[in-house]
Amino acid sequence: MEVLIVNQREVRELLSMKACMKEMSEALRALERGDAHMPLRSVMWLPEMTGALGMMPSYMQNLKVMGLKVISVFPGNVGTDYDSHQGAVMLFDTEHGQPLAIVEASAITAIRTAAVSGVATDLLARKDAGDLAILGAGTQAHAHLEAMLLVRAVRRVRVWSLHSERAEEFAERASKRHGIIVEPMATAFDAVQGADIICTTTSSTDPVLLGEWIREGTHINAIGACIPTSRELDTEAVVKSRLFVDRRESTLNEAGDFLIPKGEGAIGDDHIQGEIGEILEGKIQGRRTDEEITLFESLGLAVEDLAAARYIYVQAMEKGAGTALELGGSRKGNA
């Protein structure tokens, strides 16, 4: 029995942002229709709280696959030679339970997270939105810039980071890559002034975006905070926004951007307007007016990783990419 191993370089070659956005739309639709299933992620924190190991299983009936993403999260890796998220996605078929592939997860995480934000932005941002602010200057910042350029005619890009040198490096690199001018800013306040699309992609545990800074008509993608005790937005920012999520259950259990204002009594569960899949399926309305502020809280879903891994596997098989690994054993196992 052979399993296909797909490395990080191959993931980036096989999974374009545009293709991933299409796959993410279909995955969120499938989840809304009940064709995809997943429990809440399981997270094991190290005793020192320096890092964690996350385990995210899922099943997609429409694609006839199931899988498990195992990923380590070490925020302290930011700015080092190591990714903050490292791991693999294991892909299985659902006919015989056969392992099909082991796919590097850091690249999948970067691409699919930004792709989902791209889908949400296309649904929720004003059609004429094009002044982009990115808070954070790491892997997700780069991926989100790529996704935003695909869904809106971006006129201006500003970036801010807790580490000014990283914002400057990001601006130089991104400007060359995309043929646009990216401006590094000294403060988060400066970065978001006049912006109508804001992406928060930091590893900060405290708010980096304040509600008083956000103008009418803005769309926000909140990406960085994915545990109950961390948030990138202050309470005012969440209260004044119409909140949309990737999945209600995950938000109610994991999203500090939501749970902290809720704990303060500022909002209730009904502040969640709906899921992106519900908008895609035509069950709810997204943006209603040009003046309202919309917020997409992204936690990342196992079905997104599974859909991406399955797409990569199909592409790799068609193009002869990846490395086949013989696991050995027979088709019939011993009880």
Side-chain angles (χ1 to χ4, degrees), residues 274-327:
E275 299 176 354
I276 297 300
E278 293 179 286
I279 303 177
L280 289 167
E281 286 290 294
K283 294 183 177 180
I284 63 172
Q285 183 179 1
R287 173 173 290 275
R288 300 172 302 188
T289 71
D290 284 346
E291 291 73 35
E292 68 187 10
I293 298 168
T294 55
L295 166 62
F296 170 54
E297 178 70 24
S298 172
L299 289 169
L301 304 179
V303 294
E304 297 165 1
D305 298 301
L306 183 61
R310 189 259 185 187
Y311 177 86
I312 292 165
Y313 171 72
V314 171
Q315 293 296 307
M317 294 297 289
E318 290 179 355
K319 298 177 180 179
T323 302
L325 176 65
E326 178 62 50
L327 293 183

Side-chain angles (χ1 to χ4, degrees), residues 28-39:
L28 294 172
R29 284 178 181 270
L31 186 62
E32 176 57 30
R33 294 193 304 265
D35 292 332
H37 305 279
M38 62 179 193

Side-chain angles (χ1 to χ4, degrees), residues 16 26 35 41 66 84 89 92 134 146 155 168-169 171 188 200 203 214 232 240 275 290 305 323:
S16 70
E26 291 303 316
D35 292 332
R41 76 183 97 200
M66 59 184 180
S84 60
V89 180
F92 299 78
I134 302 175
E146 182 179 356
R155 304 180 298 275
E168 292 170 0
E169 291 170 2
T200 62
S203 58
I214 305 168
E232 292 183 297
K240 70 192 298 185
E275 299 176 354
D290 284 346
D305 298 301
T323 302

Side-chain angles (χ1 to χ4, degrees), residues 106-270:
S106 297
I108 285 183
T109 302
I111 298 167
R112 65 83 161 146
T113 303
V116 174
S117 292
V119 172
T121 301
D122 200 29
L123 293 170
L124 295 172
R126 295 197 331 262
K127 297 303 180 185
D128 63 347
D131 193 316
L132 172 63
I134 302 175
L135 305 185
T139 298
Q140 280 299 337
H142 282 284
H144 273 74
L145 174 56
E146 182 179 356
M148 297 304 105
L149 291 173
L150 285 175
V151 297
R152 287 296 183 271
V154 176
R155 304 180 298 275
R156 184 184 186 190
V157 182
R158 286 166 289 172
V159 62
W160 167 84
S161 171
L162 286 166
H163 307 283
S164 59
E165 68 278 5
R166 298 196 69 209
E168 292 170 0
E169 291 170 2
F170 176 96
E172 181 179 0
R173 179 179 168 190
S175 296
K176 291 179 180 178
R177 178 183 178 187
H178 299 288
I180 58 177
I181 297 175
V182 178
E183 304 170 69
M185 308 304 290
T187 68
F189 172 79
D190 293 333
V192 303
Q193 289 306 293
D196 45 31
I197 301 175
I198 302 173
C199 299
T200 62
T201 67
T202 74
S203 58
S204 177
T205 58
D206 298 313
V208 295
L209 178 62
L210 306 186
E212 64 187 74
W213 302 345
I214 305 168
R215 71 172 189 171
E216 289 185 348
T218 299
H219 171 67
I220 305 160
N221 297 305
I223 309 303
C226 57
I227 59 174
T229 55
S230 297
R231 61 173 172 171
E232 292 183 297
L233 279 63
D234 74 351
T235 296
E236 182 182 347
V238 177
V239 169
K240 70 192 298 185
S241 303
R242 293 188 66 229
L243 172 62
F244 296 87
V245 301
D246 44 16
R247 192 185 186 208
R248 278 187 181 84
E249 183 182 11
S250 298
T251 302
L252 292 172
N253 286 275
E254 300 171 354
D257 281 325
F258 170 80
L259 292 172
I260 295 173
K262 178 184 174 181
E264 296 171 350
I267 57 173
D269 291 352
D270 60 355

